[in-house]
Amino acid sequence: MRPATPLLVLTIGQGLAGGIIVCLAALMWMGRLTGPEAIVPVLAALGTAAVGGMGSFFHMHNLKAARYVMRRLKTSWLSREALTTAIFGAFLAVLTVWTLFDGAGVSSVGYQTLLVVTAATGVLAMWVTAMLYATIPAVLSWHTPLTVLNLMLVGITSGVAVTAGWVSAVPSLWIGFAILLALTAAVKLLHWTHFLRAHGQIRAETGTGLPFSPYRLQDTGTTKPPYRTQTQVWPLLQPALLRTVKLWTVGWLFVIPLAAVVVWQTGAWGGARWVLPVGAMLGVIAERWLFFADATHSSRVFFVDEPRRAPQVPMTGARKSM
Amino acid sequence: MTEYSPARLSKPLMREPGAPRGEGRLVPVEWETALSTVSGWLQNIRETDPRRLAYFTGRDQMQAFNGFWARQFGTPNWAAHGGFCSVNMAAGGMYSIGGSFWEFGWPDLENARWFMMFGVAEDHPSNPLKLAISALKERGGRFIVVNPVRSGYGALADEWVPIRPGTDGAFILALMHVLIREGLFDEEYLRQWTNAAALVRCHTGSDQDGLFLRTEDGEMMVALEDGRVVPFRSAQGQGVLNGTVVYEGAEWEPSFQVLQREVEHATPAWASSVTGIPKRTIVRLALEMGKVSQQQPLVLPIAWTDFYGHQHPTTVGRPVAFHAMRGLAAHTNGFQTIRGLFSLMMLLGVVDVPGGFLYKSPYPKAVPPAVKPAPNPEDYQPNQPAKAPLLGYPTSPDDLLVDGDRPIRIDEAYSWKYPLAAHGAIQNVIANAASETPYGIDTMMIYMANIAWNSTWNTLTTRDLLIARDEETGEYKIPHVVVFDAFDSETVAYADIVFPDTTYLERWDATSLQDRPISEPNGPADSIRQPVVPRLGDTRPTADVLIELANRLQLPGFVENGTPKYRNYADFIHFWETEPGSGVGLLAGYRGANGTEELVGEPNPNQLATYAEHKAFWQHVLPDERRYYRMANQNYLDWASRVKFVPKPDPIILNLYSEPLQTFRLAGQGRWPGKKPQDAVLKDRLSRYFSPVAVWYPPLEDRPEEAEAFPLRIITQRPMTHYHSWGSHNAWLRQLLNENPLYINPKKAQALGLHEGQWVWVESRIGRMTAKLRLSDAVEPDTVWTWNAIAKGPGSWALDPQSPEVRRAILINHIIPDRQAGPYQSEYFNNDPVTGQAGWYDARVKIYPSEIEEVWPIVDPRQPAVERPEVSRLAYTTKEG
Amino acid sequence: MQLTIITDLNKCVGCKSCQVSCKEHNTSGAFGPVPDHTPYQDPDGMWWNRILTMESGEYPNTSVLYLPKACMHCYDAPCVPVCPTGASFKREDNGVVLVDYDSCIGCQLCMWACPYGVREFDEEAGVVKKCTLCIDRIEDETLPEHERQPACVQSCPTHARTFGDLDDPNSEVSRLVAERQGFGLLPELGARPSVHYLPRRPAPSPLDTETLETAMEERY
Ligand SMILES: Nc1nc2c(c(=O)[nH]1)N[C@H]1C(S)=C(S)[C@@H](COP(=O)(O)OP(=O)(O)OC[C@H]3O[C@@H](n4cnc5c(=O)[nH]c(N)nc54)[C@H](O)[C@@H]3O)O[C@H]1N2
Ligand SMILES: Nc1nc2c(c(=O)[nH]1)N[C@H]1C(S)=C(S)[C@@H](COP(=O)(O)OP(=O)(O)OC[C@H]3O[C@@H](n4cnc5c(=O)[nH]c(N)nc54)[C@H](O)[C@@H]3O)O[C@H]1N2
Ligand code: SF4
Ligand code: SF4
Ligand code: SF4
Ligand code: SF4
Ligand code: SF4
Ligand SMILES: [Mo]
């Protein structure tokens, strides 16, 4: 699938925001959250959620029709996503205001309730978004419960890592953090295995009615890239690129944060703490890019899989209607 | 869409003063300037030496008009595009059955049960062929495709018979071998309708060797069972096919026996080694076609009468049909291969019978048709029209256009080199004109042919020849080049003057029975084109321009007593007749003053309007009793001579054996009383290739030297979506196909250590180019292929020079040899030695990895003659905004 | 009623007439335009019907197949429930799946949901477009009856395409599907496409092997 920037921004942003709030709620529950410490993470959550929201907004290409977007709550996960994301955003906004203007209120029942409810809406929003992806049979790579686990866990992990930059309790709970990382990593690896299987799952014989292999799609015409109007097709990644991005993901999202926590714990380098948010961001971008770029759509069987190439000529210029 | 092409030319253009030719530096001029300049050149030529005009045309539908124009001008140097197209198919058929495939005849797929198609990717009447194949499939008919590549129609085949290019002749001979051996052929048909029983002299070394035994008035003689020798017609179809007869002291044998001897050594095992087709497949296919044709006749309740006077209560058909096109034609052994195919069809008795092959009107004609060009130098004099039509069918060496060994025509058509060049040899013109072989010319006019690119070979050299200059004078070897084109093609860049044509949507035009008929087997048909959109810019129909030039030059036939007869082509369509008062003109429908007559009748001044009222179309449906066995159907022949399809209602005897070919062979052996060549190579070619019965010899590129060094054959196919070079300026068509990989069999690729997507050098004996490989199991291992004419030169066709057609598409014409291999290569073009057909599909190559990963060569960019549009989004809509 | 198109793969020669005539009709039709990008440079554009060229099997037992692919007008069209605005809908009266450009937000989720990759995105209009089964033709009562057919069906030179109601057991399309073992693509994805294809139907050799064996043994 072609990785669309708005969707990267949306899913990363939403996951991060949700993750941060979930993390804060957990800390609160453990009694390890202080008011002033919460300010930056809450702001960050609001920021990323807002950016994510903007992303989703700009993924709509016909804004005139935006008002219809919740018309199909009954069937469409996207309608539901619009709703749950909005609800989460609203709670997050109130939470932010409360956190900013009533710094000491962390211990108040009202604040605590709000935090828990916001975290719950965040989780709900993440779940709905994940379900949107997981329920499309045509995208074979995503059509698995692993997608839900993956998106939610990566969201939470990234949120926790970002929170760690400001809330010192997080690194000190490093065992918990390590367990979370391991869990997420395990899901991610499983998901990747599923992706690999998905590649092999498109069946030319059922896609074309030809009874015997090997198959070859021979067209050099409108079934070859650049597919500017076919956003669901995106040529197979070159193996070297795939390997590199996977390594990058594993490194920044799992290995380096873990190492950073350990280093920080040993007190060898205080700055290690800041590696967490930065690393998580780099890792999650790579992870999410792969989530799209490496995903297999069933229609790939109908398109010539040539390596991508940039258009050879400028795409700007006049527009002509006749 | 093509209407909106940004590549359309809209003004006459003239080469910028002082600018070199070939760079596309052209400036717009007024029509009057262009017309007076060209008529000045032409006037001068016509007054001094009309041969110094060479007028060659490409894919047009105006050959009757253009041929008439050139004849009235007085030059022998005119031809349409048949030389580089499919003259082998036309001539092979005309010298066999007085018709052919293509516009001349057609497989009867409505009735056939078994259909074999050789070497067709698209064909001329391509939509009708698609319909016909679909009808055959609907009925469950069996469809066999013989082709090195499986694609298009071949995809639907019930059996694909991959064959090595250029070897079909061997396959066909082997089929005949089996059929004769198994007795699965139609003896009656051969005796009655072909010259198989006609007696030929068998005496090697005699002047009469291989010529027919004839009566005083020229009728062939045959032997009867009882030993009597009688004229062909009096034998009533009872002539014997075997044995030897002594008559008037000499030995004679039925011509069938000559063929039989030829196919005797063509065993399936031998053919298998030549073609790559398993022996078993050859035998099986022969048995299939033999059994279906001979044992499952198709009998229609249609009574008819033959020229012997026999009445047949029914019409017996044989439901085995064949079709073939350039896959057979575009080889230097194509003429004989196609003769072989028609021989096979005669053997099976499937010519003009239900379920077999059917002629399209006005065919059948005599074998060959009785039209010949004027053969002497004196026939082409200043200020005189040529003495005869410029193209036709020689029947003996005496008909050749030679002065001793020297050709009369600039393209060497009808010379000893290419004696039966019935369509001329456009592909020879540029090189000959530039090297003044056999003489220099003054002006070359090119209409509707992209000869500086996809219809040329050894393209880079040919382009150089177009700009070659005389070393002493510094003048161009070809002093003037005039191009009639509608688009900014590669060839436009080489023009001194460009006349911008209209497209067919903007002009009156006729698809005439005099030209390339659109008739169906059930009767003659023709049609017109009419202007349906306003003319773009300052364009004019080429025919109108030629009439204007003819009027200015006061050409006879165009101007009478100082008064022009035709203002424009519409007038010409209305009023021109083949001979004054003949009643036969370009269009056969709605003739006579009131438009009530058909085929023959006075010109009708409202003819085009009447066609327009009838959906631009006219058709005459033959009554059933005239629809089959037309070469022998007396009722048909009487009618055909009344409507002037044939001069006399004589039977048309099919030529299983070709006496005209034998006369050339005799000339080669020095035993022809009339014209004969002196040069040893010329003599050898005639003796070798002019076999009177079908033979197979390896394509001329297959000398052991080349075959070893260049083990693969390279061929092209037409894409269904593109018409030669025309599709690439169409915004939609170019999306369907804009780059062309080189397809190779995976096993071959593996053997050569090559892989999918790899860039390779493709080297022929004249040069090399790069290509990107694509593996395909649908190609025979000794062949590589790609699509025809997709690549474009930078600066042409209003395309961005970075376009895929320029950067990622390949043109194999660069490496197709223009000259024959071997010691005489500079003197002979890579043409069929019989007809002069360009041997496109004989080219051999070797393939090895390339260090560069891009298309090479790419020619230097030229200056575009039109403005290139910079459009990011194109949306055709009838809605507002 | 479920209107649909059946393509006979035993007749399709891959000429792409249906592809071009689809664009021709629809670009200026009710659901157009069907735009092109950089048409005279590196071209790309929207096509609602794309013809595939497939090859399978190993030489010399190679099979070549052309597959015209447009919207399958699925019975359980997965593109419909995912649409947040209801812009993608399936007509109840005739089963045609359409997009209402006025309420489409251009989120492209339906493009993901469609297993066949037949929906295309018009960046400028910001909406998703696709084959309409030429709804503006088949319902145009000003057209003579025999012209109320999809453009691609009418233009096919081999008559490989047939248009009709698959829910009517007596229709030509139902008959073809039943008699010729019509199949839909990617059935495992559960969209239940109404568009069907008729498989190849090879005509066998009329020769019995015994005759051939005897000839081979005795004479060749
Ligand atoms: N769409 C489209 N239609 C066209 C044209 C076009 O450019 N585009 N051009 C028109 C013109 S000018 C012409 S001449 C006709 C030509 O129509 P075709 O004769 O169909 O033209 P080609 O594409 O040359 O097809 C030649 C076929 O022969 C096969 N072949 C090559 N060598 C051999 C061989 O030795 N033996 C056998 N058995 N097969 C062989 C090739 O693989 C190919 O399939 O088409 C006309 N129609
Ligand atoms: N490698 C390879 N080469 C081949 C072939 C092959 O199979 N393989 N096929 C050969 C064959 S069979 C043929 S027939 C030739 C064809 O070769 P050409 O006859 O050169 O064919 P086109 O490319 O169609 O070029 C025709 C020219 O006509 C122009 N034109 C188009 N419409 C009009 C019009 O309305 N009026 C005028 N005045 N001009 C117009 C175009 O712009 C173009 O410049 O190619 C031959 N070349
Ligand atoms: S291009 Fe024109 S003439 Fe040729 S098959 Fe198509 S419709 Fe007929
Ligand atoms: S792109 Fe339009 S039609 Fe498709 S799901 Fe989104 S709103 Fe619906
Ligand atoms: S083919 Fe695709 S777009 Fe058409 S109805 Fe089925 S899912 Fe929807
Ligand atoms: S039915 Fe109409 S819109 Fe659909 S593919 Fe055919 S021509 Fe195109
Ligand atoms: S028009 Fe007919 S033959 Fe041509 S590609 Fe389409 S379905 Fe196939
Ligand atoms: Mo041609």
Side-chain angles (χ1 to χ4, degrees), chain C residues 4-5 17-26 31 34 47-50 68-71 73 130-138 149-155 161 163:
Chain C
T4 196
I5 294 173
S17 293
C18 52
Q19 178 165 354
V20 176
S21 61
C22 171
K23 185 143 172 147
E24 171 88 44
H25 169 70
N26 287 297
F31 290 80
V34 184
W47 299 86
W48 295 354
N49 184 18
R50 294 179 188 239
K69 183 175 64 75
C71 176
H73 298 282
K130 68 165 198 68
C131 157
T132 64
L133 209 70
C134 286
I135 194 80
D136 54 343
R137 267 173 95 109
I138 59 181
Q149 296 239 340
C152 57
V153 172
Q154 275 203 318
S155 72
R161 285 161 88 80
F163 167 72

Side-chain angles (χ1 to χ4, degrees), chain B residues 1 4-6 114 127 130-131 133-135 137-143 150-153 155-156 158 160 162 177-179 181-182 268 279-280 283-284 287-288 291-292 296 720-721 729-736 738 745 747 775-781 798-800 803-805 808 868-879, chain C residues 8-17 19-20 23-47 55-66 101 122-125 129 156-160 175-176 180 200-209 211-213 215-216 218-220:
Chain B
M1 272 305 290
Y4 306 123
S5 158
W114 199 94
N127 279 346
K130 290 180 186 108
L131 260 175
I133 291 176
S134 150
K137 300 288 292 181
E138 185 64 45
R139 290 187 302 104
R142 187 156 155 83
F143 179 28
R150 178 170 209 170
S151 67
Y153 308 139
L156 304 187
D158 300 306
W160 171 42
H177 174 103
V178 178
L179 290 168
R181 193 149 160 191
E182 305 286 325
K279 186 172 81 174
R280 192 188 166 81
V283 174
R284 176 170 50 74
L287 293 178
E288 282 189 26
K291 292 211 186 273
V292 175
Q296 303 175 21
M720 293 193 183
T721 50
H729 53 110
N730 178 316
W732 292 353
L733 294 185
R734 64 187 296 256
Q735 290 179 50
L736 302 181
N738 54 40
N745 185 294
K747 292 208 183 74
L775 306 194
S776 164
D777 277 286
V779 55
E780 183 275 324
L799 294 180
D800 190 293
S803 293
E805 288 91 339
R808 299 197 293 271
R868 195 168 54 233
E870 290 275 335
V871 184
S872 68
R873 177 185 148 107
L874 184 65
Y876 291 92
T877 168
T878 46
K879 288 179 216 146
Chain C
D8 187 348
L9 302 181
N10 202 39
K11 287 186 182 168
C12 174
V13 293
C15 70
K16 305 192 181 181
S17 293
Q19 178 165 354
V20 176
K23 185 143 172 147
E24 171 88 44
H25 169 70
N26 287 297
T27 197
S28 54
F31 290 80
V34 184
D36 301 300
H37 297 287
T38 56
Y40 303 110
Q41 284 103 33
D42 199 353
D44 191 18
M46 181 181 286
W47 299 86
E55 207 179 279
S56 80
E58 272 180 63
Y59 177 86
N61 303 312
T62 316
S63 186
V64 175
L65 182 110
Y66 301 99
Y101 299 162
D122 183 339
E123 274 172 350
E124 184 163 294
K129 298 180 171 178
C156 173
T158 64
H159 298 328
R175 189 187 61 78
L176 284 171
R180 299 271 315 275
R200 287 277 165 74
R201 184 170 54 160
S205 167
L207 200 69
D208 56 299
T209 38
T211 315
L212 178 61
E213 287 312 331
M216 290 301 294
E218 290 175 6
R219 297 186 286 282
Y220 302 98

Side-chain angles (χ1 to χ4, degrees), chain B residues 397 400 402 404-405 414-419 667 675-677 682 686:
Chain B
L400 291 194
V402 287
D405 278 3
Y414 303 117
S415 72
W416 298 115
K417 290 180 175 171
Y418 322 109
K675 292 185 184 174
K676 45 185 166 289
L682 291 172
L686 295 183

Side-chain angles (χ1 to χ4, degrees), chain B residues 2 7-9 57-60 81-82 84-86 124 325-326 330 426 446-457 483-492 499-507 509 516 540 542 715-718 723-726 729 786-789 792 797 811-814 816 837-838 840-841:
Chain B
T2 298
R8 275 296 294 279
L9 302 172
T57 69
R59 309 269 328 103
D60 66 304
H81 70 282
F84 62 41
C85 182
S86 312
H124 281 140
M325 257 302 281
R326 293 188 66 253
I426 179 172
I446 296 295
Y447 166 49
M448 212 189 266
N450 199 8
I451 46 146
W453 193 247
N454 52 286
S455 54
T456 193
W457 42 11
V483 171
F484 299 84
D485 206 315
F487 304 98
D488 194 12
S489 68
E490 284 83 358
T491 302
V492 163
F499 287 115
D501 199 357
T502 53
T503 66
Y504 60 89
L505 297 175
E506 298 153 279
R507 63 182 183 236
D509 222 335
R516 314 177 59 161
R540 290 189 196 173
T542 295
I715 60 176
T716 60
Q717 297 205 93
R718 276 153 182 56
Y723 199 87
H724 298 280
S725 55
W726 308 8
H729 53 110
T786 190
W787 298 113
N788 182 40
K792 297 288 166 302
W797 301 101
L811 186 75
I812 73 160
N813 298 50
H814 286 305
I816 298 181
Q837 151 97 46
W840 297 109
Y841 297 163

Side-chain angles (χ1 to χ4, degrees), chain B residues 201 203 245-252:
Chain B
R201 180 76 190 272
H203 181 212
V245 187
V246 180
Y247 184 74
E248 294 186 345
E251 265 188 31
W252 308 83

